[in-house]
Amino acid sequence: MNASKVAGGTLLVSGTTIGAGLLGLPATCAFMGFYPSILLFFICWLFMLAAGIFFVDISCDIKKKANIITMAEKTIGKWGMAVSWISYLLLLYSLMALYLTGSAVIFKDAMEILFGISLPSFAASFILPLLFGWLIYLGTYGVDMVNRYLMAALVLSYVLLVSFLPSHIQMENLQHYAFIPAIYALPFVITAFGYHIIIPTLGSYMKYDRKMMIYSVVIGSVIALVINTLWQFLVLGVVPLDTLAIAWKADTPITPALAKMVTSNVLGIGVYLFSIFAILTSFLGVALSLSDFLIDGFKIKKGWEGRLLAIALTFVPPLLFISTYGNGFLLALGYAGAFVAILLLFIPSMMVWKLKGHTFYQSTMGHTLMITTVIFAGCIVTVNILNRWGFFTKILEKIGGL
């Protein structure tokens, strides 16, 4: 087995899950408390791991460089391709809206603290596209070169927080628990383990060696589970429930609330740096993926005019979403969860059902796993609809003391 390739694939899997979800999960999970949230993390991780192995087997079965859309078409036909195409597009747009709203809050605070300038939230949303939109124009090479430095900065800022935040933890903050809010948090948590869109790339990189791919998916997803668990422990231990509830009510990332709870100015700056690096590392990858997807999907002619059109199509719709829904941070995160359920749980379950060369998928146990995964995906979409109707709002407000 090629250890270096497994290590590279592991980093690819774990790195894909780092993003604004880290900034939204503590506020949405605070109502149930630390211990129930860890149980929910494990359940979501387990289902997403099963779906990840589904994708590995599909990729190895097709044995050619194909994206999720092509894989769906080859296994379940035109309807699968259509559902995958729409879900993929809406998922990436939801993530773009998530990163733009999350960065707007952080940039707005930074401008006030450093320069005493108060920016409207919508105006702050333009900072990220203006600063980094040119990288998307340059394509993969430009994003890759900058992303390496951003990943290094993200790791350093994360190490800083993990090293010094524990001294600010109040153990009584971790004693609260309630299980009903776990239902509300389901669409938000599932996004923290959505690495599956890179599995086709992983297959090409590893020459469809199933064993190496499985190792990378398992180890990489475990790293994501550990990072999310540790982050949940730190934030819920440092920030009281009522403060996190206010962040949830304001529909903003937890960055300002966490920064206010630490006594060290250096540590407070570290909180903001970690937040912006977490957003940037994921934002660049998603923006580039969305731009390339639009060029391919709409058959946009390559050239500077085509790249500019793709960039406009990449940024304008999520900016319009932000202008319509205000902050919309948790709203976008919830929508992303629903599209993750459809694209990364429902679709792969349907695809492996069609695989004839795998005895496991034709067995009773295999059918049970696929049906259970489809039901779980349906539950996530249903909960997302209930959340949009405000079904859990009064319950959460009562628990959070709002």
Side-chain angles (χ1 to χ4, degrees), residues 215-259:
Y215 269 110
S216 295
V217 167
V218 172
I219 298 172
S221 65
V222 167
I223 291 173
L225 177 62
V226 171
I227 288 175
N228 280 295
T229 300
L230 183 56
W231 183 245
Q232 193 78 352
F233 173 76
L234 292 173
V235 177
L236 296 192
V238 172
V239 186
L241 172 59
D242 56 352
T243 304
L244 287 171
I246 292 172
W248 168 81
K249 186 73 173 178
D251 195 9
T252 60
I254 50 88
T255 306
L258 181 59

Side-chain angles (χ1 to χ4, degrees), residues 370-391:
M370 288 181 280
I371 292 170
T372 305
T373 305
V374 168
I375 292 172
F376 186 66
C379 291
I380 294 171
V381 175
T382 302
V383 171
N384 181 265
I385 294 171
L386 293 175
N387 287 348
R388 299 287 72 78
W389 289 347
F391 186 83

Side-chain angles (χ1 to χ4, degrees), residues 107-119:
F107 282 130
K108 186 173 183 293
D109 286 350
M111 292 296 286
E112 289 179 357
I113 293 171
L114 297 176
F115 306 107
I117 300 173
S118 181
L119 288 176

Side-chain angles (χ1 to χ4, degrees), residues 74-349:
K74 288 182 176 295
T75 51
I76 53 181
K78 296 293 184 182
W79 75 266
M81 181 187 70
V83 172
S84 299
W85 204 97
I86 295 169
S87 300
Y88 193 98
L89 187 63
L90 293 176
L91 172 60
L92 292 183
Y93 271 131
S94 297
L95 292 175
M96 285 295 294
L98 180 68
Y99 300 138
L100 292 176
T101 52
S103 65
V105 174
I106 297 169
F107 282 130
K108 186 173 183 293
D109 286 350
M111 292 296 286
E112 289 179 357
I113 293 171
L114 297 176
F115 306 107
I117 300 173
S118 181
L119 288 176
S121 296
F122 180 63
S125 302
F126 281 88
I127 294 179
L128 207 57
L130 289 175
L131 287 177
F132 295 97
W134 63 277
L135 284 175
I136 311 304
Y137 178 83
L138 293 178
T140 304
Y141 178 76
V143 169
D144 180 56
M145 292 303 294
V146 173
N147 219 29
R148 294 182 186 185
Y149 294 103
L150 292 175
M151 280 296 295
L154 176 64
V155 171
L156 288 175
S157 59
Y158 184 78
V159 170
L160 172 69
L161 295 182
V162 170
S163 300
F164 294 100
L165 271 182
S167 62
H168 294 77
I169 289 176
Q170 302 294 321
M171 293 306 295
E172 59 267 22
N173 290 344
L174 300 172
Q175 302 309 309
H176 163 75
Y177 67 91
F179 288 98
I180 291 179
I183 303 172
Y184 163 81
L186 187 55
F188 302 94
V189 174
I190 202 70
T191 60
F193 304 101
Y195 50 84
H196 304 64
I197 59 175
I198 55 90
I199 290 178
T201 303
L202 198 66
S204 177
Y205 173 64
M206 294 183 168
K207 300 187 184 303
Y208 304 99
D209 186 317
R210 184 179 185 273
K211 191 174 183 180
M212 283 201 299
M213 292 174 70
I214 293 291
Y215 269 110
S216 295
V217 167
V218 172
I219 298 172
S221 65
V222 167
I223 291 173
L225 177 62
V226 171
I227 288 175
N228 280 295
T229 300
L230 183 56
W231 183 245
Q232 193 78 352
F233 173 76
L234 292 173
V235 177
L236 296 192
V238 172
V239 186
L241 172 59
D242 56 352
T243 304
L244 287 171
I246 292 172
W248 168 81
K249 186 73 173 178
D251 195 9
T252 60
I254 50 88
T255 306
L258 181 59
K260 290 177 182 177
M261 296 304 300
V262 298
T263 55
S264 167
N265 289 333
V266 174
L267 193 55
I269 293 172
V271 169
Y272 277 99
L273 288 176
F274 170 75
S275 301
I276 194 61
F277 291 140
I279 288 175
L280 283 175
T281 50
S282 295
F283 161 78
L284 289 176
V286 170
L288 181 62
S289 298
L290 178 55
S291 175
D292 289 344
F293 179 80
L294 291 168
I295 289 173
D296 182 54
F298 290 113
K299 307 301 180 186
I300 297 174
K301 292 182 180 180
K302 293 184 179 180
W304 68 268
E305 302 98 330
R307 294 300 302 178
L308 287 178
L309 176 59
I311 290 173
L313 291 174
T314 298
F315 290 113
V316 171
L319 286 171
L320 289 175
F321 173 88
I322 295 170
S323 67
T324 303
Y325 290 101
N327 286 327
F329 181 76
L330 298 180
L331 181 64
L333 185 59
Y335 278 132
F339 299 132
V340 163
I342 296 170
L343 183 67
L344 305 183
L345 287 173
F346 172 74
I347 289 296
S349 298

